[in-house]
Amino acid sequence: MAGIVTELLDILDLEPLAPDLYRGESLQTGWFRVFGGQVVAQALVAASRTVPETRPPHSLHAYFLLGGDPKAPIDYAVERIRDGRSFATRRVVAHQHGRAIFAMSVSYHDAETGASHQAAMPDVAPPEEVPEAPAATAEAARSGLAIPAPVLSYFGRRRPIELRPVEIERYLRRAPREPRFHVWMRAVDRLPDDPAIHRAVLAYASDMTLLDATLIPHGQTVFDPEIQSASLDHALWFHRPFRADDWLLYAQDSPSADGARGFARGQIFTRDGTLVASVAQEGMIRPRRAEA
């Protein structure tokens, strides 16, 4: 396997330093801080190293405390909170430069049978009918629409996850809309068959575009220079098996924004309509203060 997906798998293969202590490196994306989804994914890998593979994670709840330095390693310390008959709980704290930058709790559950239902997948165009983001933005540029440079840069960037926004036009015309956004996504290369890898890759991808949904009703995006944005927390629930290298629909909405914070939710479906994960996140969407 070649390219950026190999790089992602490499940084997810954490280095053991001591019992329940692991070290991770960052993808060198050119960002001035570490991508939050990377820290979530690496923390999940660290916690899962301390739990039997027969007991998979079903939920995680995380807080971003400080922006990470992409040029320095991140150490993940795992605390074994509880090992019960059916459930286990782990707490992970990520440290960098002697400071805690991230904290997360993860719950694990033995497979059981029980009642089953799910929400219906939204009716959107299939991924084959949604152009790749770089092609869509280039076509819009040819038609005379002014596309902000940060949008072009973001969707044109080399990354391990392919993104196909269904409503790409929201980036092309600044106008308030209903706070709903749909993105098809998948790893750009085939992944190993290990379900733990697919969960980690989905955790990585789940932080992409979600906070941006909180600005849709205001005709803005996180790419606007007048907006200062940052994820504050992140929660992810795994419902059913999936492959992160097959197309997944990330259906996002934002029920509330207030006090310079926005709240967004996401549901992740396979292309056949199976709900495999749910996500929730609050983030800062502060008007950028003018420099004195």
Side-chain angles (χ1 to χ4, degrees):
M1 188 183 301
I4 189 68
V5 169
T6 299
E7 294 176 27
L8 175 61
L9 295 179
D10 285 345
I11 67 159
L12 293 178
D13 187 15
L14 304 180
E15 175 191 358
L17 300 179
D20 300 344
L21 180 63
Y22 302 89
R23 172 165 291 176
E25 302 291 339
S26 296
L27 282 179
Q28 297 306 304
T29 61
W31 285 15
F32 67 93
R33 64 187 178 195
V34 177
F35 171 53
Q38 175 196 303
V39 186
V40 172
Q42 289 180 326
L44 177 61
V45 170
S48 299
R49 293 267 182 94
T50 71
V51 180
E53 294 180 3
T54 54
R55 181 172 283 186
H58 68 92
S59 69
L60 60 84
H61 300 259
Y63 285 92
F64 301 101
L65 307 177
L66 291 170
D69 176 1
K71 294 184 174 11
I74 305 172
D75 292 343
Y76 296 88
V78 181
E79 183 180 358
R80 303 183 186 224
I81 302 295
R82 180 177 182 269
D83 287 289
R85 288 182 295 179
S86 300
F87 289 86
T89 306
R90 297 293 185 265
R91 184 170 184 265
V92 187
V93 179
H95 293 87
Q96 197 176 53
H97 300 310
R99 299 181 298 175
I101 65 167
F102 174 87
M104 185 171 85
S105 294
V106 191
S107 183
Y108 297 80
H109 182 205
D110 291 339
E112 297 187 43
T113 58
S116 180
H117 73 275
Q118 68 156 77
M121 185 172 78
D123 184 13
V124 302
E128 293 80 10
E129 296 179 13
V130 179
E132 296 182 33
T137 53
E139 177 61 30
R142 285 191 292 270
S143 68
L145 290 174
I147 302 172
V151 176
L152 288 171
S153 174
Y154 180 80
F155 284 109
R157 184 179 295 128
R158 177 175 175 263
R159 59 162 56 83
I161 307 297
E162 179 180 355
L163 301 175
R164 296 195 181 188
V166 177
E167 299 91 357
I168 189 72
E169 65 275 5
R170 69 165 290 242
Y171 295 112
L172 312 179
R173 297 179 177 86
R174 292 173 61 98
R177 299 169 180 265
E178 286 294 313
R180 291 181 175 81
F181 191 51
H182 303 88
V183 182
W184 287 103
M185 62 183 186
R186 66 176 177 182
V188 298
D189 255 325
R190 183 78 175 176
L191 298 172
D193 291 334
D194 184 355
I197 290 176
H198 291 263
R199 287 190 292 265
V201 171
L202 184 65
Y204 177 93
S206 67
D207 192 35
M208 290 181 173
T209 75
L210 185 57
L211 182 58
D212 196 34
T214 65
L215 290 163
I216 296 174
H218 310 282
Q220 297 175 300
T221 79
V222 295
F223 304 108
D224 293 349
E226 65 268 25
I227 298 295
Q228 182 184 6
S229 64
S231 301
L232 298 175
D233 60 14
H234 195 82
L236 171 61
W237 295 263
F238 298 106
H239 304 311
R240 296 170 180 86
F242 60 91
R243 290 192 66 94
D245 51 9
D246 288 338
W247 283 116
L248 298 169
L249 179 67
Y250 199 175
Q252 307 168 12
D253 77 302
S254 176
S256 177
D258 190 61
R261 298 188 313 276
F263 174 68
R265 304 175 297 193
Q267 293 180 312
I268 300 176
F269 298 86
T270 60
R271 64 178 304 150
D272 68 1
T274 302
L275 178 64
V276 298
S278 296
V279 190
Q281 184 179 90
E282 187 177 47
M284 181 183 68
I285 47 171
R286 173 190 296 157
R288 193 176 296 276
R289 299 183 179 94
E291 294 184 4

